[in-house]
Amino acid sequence: LQLFTKPSGGSIAERLRINSSGQIGIGANNNDSYDTNARNVLIASSGNTGITIRSGGSSNYAMIHFADGTTGAAQQRAGRILYEHGTDSLQFSTANTYHAKITSTGQFLLGTGTAYTGANMEIRSTDSGGDTQLRITNNATGANTKAGIVFTTSTGDYASGSIRYERNVGVAQGSGGNMGTYDALVLTAWAYGSANPWSGNAQNGLYLWGQSGTGQGGFNQAIGIGTDMAPQNTNSAGANSNGPALFCTAEGGNAIT
């Protein structure tokens, strides 16, 4: 089935086609040229292309439902994208359950529909175990691999503060470095003028030392402030800390006050 129109002063042209497989093409009829899982409806043009869903008034919803059956809401709207015009929020549901929202002010809410005042992003969990996690993973395994969060106070700051976990950082430990280097959780509060907020400021922060990349450092967990030298450093190439805490400062300053 083909539908043609002819604009005033123009030529007649095909606008819509329903082919023998029941596929619908609007502005094009080459549905089979696209992904095999998304050929049922094709909308195409030579420029910007879009679909508008118009709701009846400012207090109504506009929705797209993803169904896998007709028995009850769990099948009829297993997944859903909903725009609520009354609050100007965009909501996302899976398994017929609300999970995420972007509010009219750009707040991103995960697991909740309301945010605390001043929160740009909020994550809540109703897990019976009471645990909520935000996980940042860097799958690289080399030394000095980092995963973390950078905080800035203006677009001109590369980093006013940061929290990062760094693998195999610091000076090799043990006689001849046979204990390897340690992993560390590093907290910094320092505006650093570099496109890489974690370069060149190694000694400006608080280090929580833990397990080494070789699996040997768990016995020497410690704290370092103002230094990236791990505890129990008996390598003849470096200084010795030999303790659970190490505090360093610039010459003339006070390490502990």
Side-chain angles (χ1 to χ4, degrees), residues 45-147:
S45 74
S46 59
N48 298 327
T49 307
I51 299 174
T52 297
I53 301 175
R54 169 67 160 84
S55 300
S58 60
S59 62
N60 294 306
Y61 303 144
M63 291 162 281
I64 300 175
H65 285 193
F66 304 91
D68 55 12
T70 60
T71 305
Q75 293 185 2
Q76 295 167 353
R77 59 182 193 189
R80 177 165 58 165
I81 301 174
L82 182 149
Y83 192 88
E84 184 178 11
H85 289 282
T87 60
D88 281 326
S89 63
L90 185 64
Q91 304 174 21
F92 301 88
S93 298
T94 62
N96 191 33
T97 304
Y98 162 83
H99 286 295
K101 175 192 285 189
I102 301 173
T103 70
S104 60
T105 58
Q107 295 170 310
F108 180 69
L109 311 179
L110 188 62
T112 180
T114 57
Y116 286 104
T117 302
N120 298 99
M121 179 177 179
E122 185 164 339
I123 301 174
R124 294 187 198 176
S125 174
T126 57
D127 178 65
S128 59
D131 296 330
T132 302
Q133 293 184 9
L134 173 63
R135 180 165 294 198
I136 301 174
T137 301
N138 186 338
N139 284 325
T141 59
N144 301 114
T145 296
K146 305 173 183 69

Side-chain angles (χ1 to χ4, degrees), residues 199-221:
S199 68
N201 62 343
Q203 296 179 353
N204 292 274
L206 167 67
Y207 282 73
L208 302 178
W209 296 99
Q211 183 73 28
S212 73
T214 57
Q216 301 297 319
F219 300 105
N220 295 300
Q221 295 167 337

Side-chain angles (χ1 to χ4, degrees), residues 152-164:
T152 63
T153 54
S154 72
T155 56
D157 289 339
Y158 290 108
S160 297
S162 70
I163 300 173
R164 73 179 187 269

Side-chain angles (χ1 to χ4, degrees), residues 249-254:
T249 186
E251 185 177 356
N254 294 322

